[in-house]
Amino acid sequence: MNDNIVLSAVDIWKSYGKGATFLSILRGANINISKGEVVSISGPSGSGKSTFLHVCGVLDPPDRGTVSVGGTDVWSVNESRRAKLRNADLGFVFQFHHLLDEFTLLENVAMPSMLAGNSRRDALESASEILEEVGLSSRGRHFPSEASGGERQRIAVARALILSPSVVLADEPTGNLDSSNSRIVEDLMFELAERRNQAFIIATHCIELARRAHRCLELEDGIFRS
Ligand SMILES: Nc1ncnc2c1ncn2[C@@H]1O[C@H](COP(=O)(O)OP(=O)(O)OP(=O)(O)O)[C@@H](O)[C@H]1O
Ligand SMILES: [Mg+2]
């Protein structure tokens, strides 16, 4: 396998329901993502963008097909290895930030590192370095309820990056933001992709964001068209 490829999904099929409720969503979708690459996925609502990210993110199994992250076939390893891989090799950013309200912003960013077994002290130290990178180092002691929508989303990006994952999967990361905050979060992801050689797959309805990606894929009838 090409060393530069951080995630590869081959011949992914996924359907929901059966009989009258049967829906065939992914019908042989393929993707290869290289280090530092930002790939956008667009397509109409219901075309399967989130479904595809869930399959790649090891959150939901495909009916058929393989997903490899850093060379590991993620659906063939046992559940405990899969959970580790999900935490350390994949970063997630969703439309809603999913930060934990009872923890500070710094602790939220540090969470994946603590879950990976690092000491609280080490985790908080790397979290403060990443907070600096996303321009929020002065806000670490605040709680999610004290941050703006855009700031919370920048924190979610920082949390996704703390363990330097192979790839960050972002599902409508700017879908809940006004245009100026969208732009800030968008710029941040592209800056981080460049500076850290970090790969991102971004599902979005925003045409400007989709077009800005290094590669734009359109999900249509269950497969990707570029
Ligand atoms: N758990 C489920 N059970 C049944 N159907 C589902 C389930 N999850 C998703 N679907 C259906 O699969 C299709 C694809 O959904 P998905 O959320 O992947 O689309 P999407 O492209 O992300 O849409 P959007 O742009 O609105 O976010 C939709 O028709 C959806 O209703
Ligand atoms: Mg979706």
Side-chain angles (χ1 to χ4, degrees):
M1 199 173 90
N2 177 341
D3 279 352
N4 258 335
I5 294 189
V6 289
L7 181 144
S8 144
V10 180
D11 197 25
I12 303 298
W13 290 73
K14 179 84 183 169
S15 57
Y16 294 109
K18 42 174 139 49
T21 65
F22 180 78
L23 284 172
S24 176
I25 305 299
L26 301 173
R27 305 168 57 83
N30 292 292
I31 208 171
N32 274 322
I33 313 286
S34 302
K35 268 184 198 151
E37 196 180 20
V38 181
V39 174
S40 65
I41 299 181
S42 45
S45 184
S47 57
K49 302 179 296 296
S50 298
T51 300
F52 183 75
L53 290 185
H54 287 174
V55 170
C56 288
V58 209
L59 298 166
D60 202 14
D63 300 335
R64 207 168 98 195
T66 51
V67 178
S68 306
V69 175
T72 301
D73 177 348
V74 298
W75 287 106
S76 74
V77 296
N78 65 32
E79 181 48 41
S80 104
R81 176 117 187 260
R82 191 155 42 241
K84 277 195 192 130
L85 197 140
R86 200 184 286 124
N87 185 48
D89 281 354
L90 295 162
F92 297 92
V93 181
F94 300 100
Q95 181 171 358
F96 301 97
H97 53 80
H98 297 299
L99 298 175
L100 302 169
D101 290 337
E102 62 277 29
F103 292 93
T104 65
L105 298 178
L106 185 69
E107 287 165 340
N108 266 283
V109 175
M111 204 59 73
S113 176
M114 291 195 246
L115 286 173
N118 295 314
S119 70
R120 181 178 162 84
R121 194 181 154 165
D122 286 352
L124 291 176
E125 195 176 310
S126 5
S128 38
E129 282 164 21
I130 302 214
L131 268 193
E132 181 133 16
E133 276 195 66
V134 304
L136 288 171
S137 51
S138 63
R139 306 298 303 276
R141 284 165 188 267
H142 291 184
F143 287 87
S145 60
E146 298 167 325
S148 72
E151 286 163 352
R152 286 194 283 250
Q153 212 49 339
R154 282 151 69 194
I155 293 291
V157 171
R159 177 185 55 181
L161 288 173
I162 187 164
L163 291 174
S164 302
S166 298
V167 57
V168 172
L169 306 174
D171 196 355
E172 304 276 0
T174 60
N176 203 28
L177 301 176
D178 63 25
S179 60
S180 75
N181 275 303
S182 293
R183 188 61 200 228
I184 291 171
V185 169
E186 200 182 301
D187 287 350
L188 177 65
M189 291 188 292
F190 282 93
E191 245 173 70
L192 291 164
E194 178 125 359
R195 191 174 339 122
R196 302 170 68 106
N197 206 17
Q198 174 67 57
F200 282 83
I201 307 181
I202 306 175
T204 184
H205 282 286
C206 169
I207 296 168
E208 294 79 34
L209 170 54
R211 289 207 181 128
R212 203 173 153 187
H214 306 144
R215 199 147 52 94
C216 312
L217 301 175
E218 177 106 14
L219 195 48
E220 201 183 313
D221 299 327
I223 58 169
F224 289 114
R225 301 181 197 282
S226 42

